Amino acid sequence: MRIQNLSSQPAKKAFGCLVLSVLLGPLAGLSLPGGGALMSPAAMADSEWLRTVPVVDDDEIAALIEGLGSESYATRVRCRLRLSRIGLAAFDALRQARKHPDSEIAIVARKLTSGVEVPWSVNTDSPVVQEILDEYGSRSVMSRRQRIGELASLPTMESFPALVRLTRYEAEPTLSRFAAMALLAQPVRATLELRSEWAPANAREDAASDAPNSENDNWLGLSSHDRSLMVTHLQQVFAKDTQFSGLWMRQYAKELESGRFEADGWNKLIEEMESSWDMDDGASPQDVARGLIAPGAMISGNEMFRLTWLNAERARVLGQVDDASRFLSQHIDVIPPRTRELTDAALWAIDHKLFDVITAAHAKHQSLFEKSPSLMYASAEALLESGQPALAAERAQQALELNPVVNSEGSGQPPLHPVLLESHAEAHLRIAADLIDRGLSDWAENEYRKLIDELPLHDVSSATARWELAEHLAELQLPGQVVALLQPLVERMEKDDDFRHKLMAHDFDYQSLRSHLDFQAGLDLANREDKAAASERMQSAFSMNPENIDILIAMYRMEWNEAWKDDVTSQIQSVLAEIDEDIEETQQTFRETGNGRPGRQTAIRDLLLANFYNQYAWLVSNTEGDYDKALKRSIESLEMSPGSEALLDTCGRCYFAVGDLPSAIVTQRKAVELTPNSPPLRRQLKLFENAWLDANPGKTLGELPHVVLPITKASPSELTDRQRRLGVVPPDGPLSFLDN
């Protein structure tokens, strides 16, 4: 229910209404630097709310609470009605009374503070906030948590009062703390999104380097006026709050005033929270067993970890990189002793060059590091980045030797079960793929070679290692090495039906393998100027896999003679016509089956159409055809699937094809930003940049003109929602708790 007129509400709703009066009241009558009084319509409404709060003293409230357990029914009813009318003035005392030794008093106190009847939204909230908070108090804990996450995705100043409301008066402590962390994280996420907008790299660097006290006094996207409002609100609402969430908000208010992350204040709070872990016996055995809550904890270990990691990220985004490193290193013990959390924090630290964090984590959790290849590689990468290649290579070798894939004879150790050996092999594959994503090609190749060398050719993991390594070497433009890897595999599949069927059961496709082998062999022969043999292998490759348009593009670029060029051009036109048919068929199919319905079906439709548009645009922009149409379709594909580095790569190529070099560079830079270690993406960016420099002699890339691109940018929540609909686990990070 939304309150429009307080006097018209039934008495039983008065408590909820009065809750909101104090929450918003502190903003009324706030003085501006020029001496004028700020009195917006919202502040005027807040002032009226404030005047409705009864003037009472603590003794009266204490007496009324004791009266809830009176032997007289009339006294109990009178006290309960009076407390509900007092509202927020009695909230803290009632919250303490939830643990009253008199069970009847405790029960009534819980009901009065449950929040079920509280109208959590007010008429000064935006329509979006009001919709999110509609019937908030009657929802489950999980649903309320989701609503808090939705509020956190809104602009900071739009949802700030509502999140403060929830932090202060949410009866479930975990949700109160979640709302508090959302308040801390909200401007950080907004700043990260701002710094990754579609702009030239130098413009993004300028935005990223804005000092907190620059001319416009911009601090995480918040003006001095915004911060002044927030500080006053936080100080008054949480002045007497002794909950952890309230202490966090008072510390946040100090930082809003100073414009800096204040590590000392958070250090004291963390020490206080750590000393409180054994004060409450409410932790379930299951939570204790999973390590989520220490025995008797008032706050879970996971919350402590998220809060500490979030604060380190806040310091980093504010430009206090040394403070971020010191802060997380000092509190490295709050990271749960589990591989997942340690790995997430370690990789985040590596991405931002906070190598001291890795050193501290390794020292604190040495036994876990030495049992986990992922953690050992993280430690090795930190050493490599900090200029210690020899020690880095040593740790990478230690990581490689973990999880043996075969039993060693004469080792003196009991043999490992075949199922465990298979699990180890799969782990090596996952690690190798991750190392490639992180740009550690040599270590990744060692992982693949281990499986190739130690396992027989017919082993599925060995075959997978050959295929994945071959794909990576193809990206590095090493066709001869690709042929050496795939030739034995393809020949075995051609000779051994059982082996071929075995691989097919694991999603291997013989025709695709054969085609890729011929394609790479053709490229290798072309490099050696054997035109006849190269042409034959290329044609064979395309005939076996006509969906691989990269083969057709490579053939187009060979330009052996006019007959060859005419033949390839004809094949290009044929493929483009087929793509047009696929687009029309997909659109028709989804029109007939309920085009536009939300959920997985819409995601699949958009994914299919985006793929077809992208194929058309990629083929045309790399060969010949209607370049303007290709660019249009590329942009449409990005509207359907924002934030895809592959689609951005295509769009960059389309801008290059139409001669818009600045737009090509900006788009390609965004693709590289999303996948910084992709060799093809980096090669194409270099091509575009060199072309612009050649066309603009005497200029540098720092003088690239500003461009505004008609390309949709995916927000973190949109990316996460799409990943979930398609069954993909979203990546973790310091702000990911908002999306879980």
Side-chain angles (χ1 to χ4, degrees), residues 141-180:
V141 170
M142 289 302 297
S143 178
R144 301 207 303 274
R145 181 184 172 95
Q146 181 182 1
R147 296 299 173 106
I148 294 172
E150 291 175 10
L151 287 173
S153 68
L154 299 176
T156 300
M157 297 308 291
E158 179 180 0
S159 58
F160 176 80
L163 286 171
V164 168
R165 227 172 287 155
L166 295 169
T167 300
R168 182 67 171 88
Y169 299 106
E170 167 60 69
E172 172 56 49
T174 58
L175 292 182
S176 172
R177 294 192 289 267
F178 180 68

Side-chain angles (χ1 to χ4, degrees), residues 180-465:
M181 284 195 277
L183 281 165
L184 293 170
Q186 198 176 22
V188 175
R189 183 158 71 176
T191 300
L192 293 174
E193 291 182 4
L194 178 66
R195 292 176 182 175
S196 62
E197 290 290 346
W198 306 105
N202 56 316
R204 292 201 305 275
E205 289 167 3
D206 291 342
S209 63
D210 280 346
N213 297 315
S214 60
E215 290 184 4
N216 62 1
D217 198 19
N218 197 11
W219 187 83
L220 293 182
L222 301 171
S223 68
S224 58
H225 176 263
D226 291 341
R227 285 166 30 216
S228 180
L229 292 177
M230 294 166 73
V231 168
T232 302
H233 204 49
L234 293 173
Q235 288 176 339
Q236 295 195 26
V237 170
F238 296 100
K240 296 181 179 180
D241 191 3
T242 59
Q243 302 295 312
F244 286 146
S245 53
L247 300 178
W248 301 349
M249 291 299 96
R250 292 210 293 272
Q251 175 63 27
Y252 185 34
K254 294 178 183 177
E255 295 176 342
L256 286 167
E257 281 190 302
S258 68
R260 289 183 56 80
F261 171 74
E262 304 286 352
D264 290 343
W266 286 107
N267 291 337
K268 293 177 182 178
L269 287 175
I270 290 175
E271 289 174 7
E272 182 176 338
M273 287 184 285
E274 287 178 333
S275 66
S276 302
W277 278 7
D278 57 355
M279 292 174 57
D280 186 355
D281 295 325
S284 70
Q286 293 83 0
D287 286 339
V288 173
R290 293 200 304 267
L292 297 179
I293 300 180
M298 291 180 64
I299 181 171
S300 73
N302 189 56
E303 286 177 298
M304 287 286 289
F305 167 52
R306 289 293 173 187
L307 176 66
T308 306
W309 196 9
L310 168 60
N311 276 320
E313 174 73 342
R314 292 175 60 234
R316 187 194 68 79
V317 172
L318 281 168
Q320 299 171 237
V321 177
D322 290 341
D323 289 335
S325 181
R326 271 194 303 270
F327 181 75
L328 191 53
S329 298
Q330 182 176 346
H331 301 292
I332 206 71
D333 56 323
V334 305
I335 302 179
R338 297 189 294 269
T339 301
R340 170 65 186 271
E341 285 84 350
L342 281 169
T343 303
D344 290 338
L347 295 181
W348 170 82
I350 289 171
D351 286 344
H352 302 298
K353 302 188 182 305
L354 307 180
F355 304 125
D356 288 346
V357 173
I358 310 297
T359 302
H362 196 159
K364 177 68 179 177
H365 302 286
Q366 185 172 352
S367 60
L368 277 176
F369 266 74
E370 293 179 352
K371 293 176 183 177
S372 166
S374 297
L375 289 173
M376 286 300 290
Y377 275 122
S379 181
E381 185 176 355
L383 290 168
L384 186 65
E385 292 290 338
S386 58
Q388 302 179 68
L391 188 53
E394 181 181 324
R395 288 201 180 157
Q397 185 62 33
Q398 287 179 263
L400 179 64
E401 292 171 358
L402 292 171
N403 295 340
V405 295
V406 294
N407 285 309
S408 300
E409 297 181 3
S411 64
Q413 299 294 328
L416 300 178
H417 193 279
V419 174
L420 182 58
L421 293 174
E422 183 179 350
S423 175
H424 285 177
E426 292 171 354
H428 282 283
L429 289 171
R430 289 193 301 271
I431 290 166
D434 181 58
L435 290 171
I436 286 177
D437 288 341
R438 287 154 55 188
L440 302 169
S441 296
D442 291 343
W443 294 349
E445 183 168 350
N446 290 339
E447 287 283 341
Y448 284 129
R449 296 287 182 188
K450 178 183 180 71
L451 298 178
I452 294 168
D453 295 341
E454 296 186 13
L455 296 175
L457 179 63
H458 63 264
D459 186 275
V460 173
S461 293
S462 175
T464 303

Side-chain angles (χ1 to χ4, degrees), residues 85 91 201 239 248 254 394 447 496 506 560 579 678 689 740:
R85 287 175 176 170
F91 189 88
W248 301 349
K254 294 178 183 177
E394 181 181 324
E447 287 283 341
D496 188 338
H506 287 82
W560 299 138
I579 294 174
S678 169
E689 290 176 340
N740 294 336

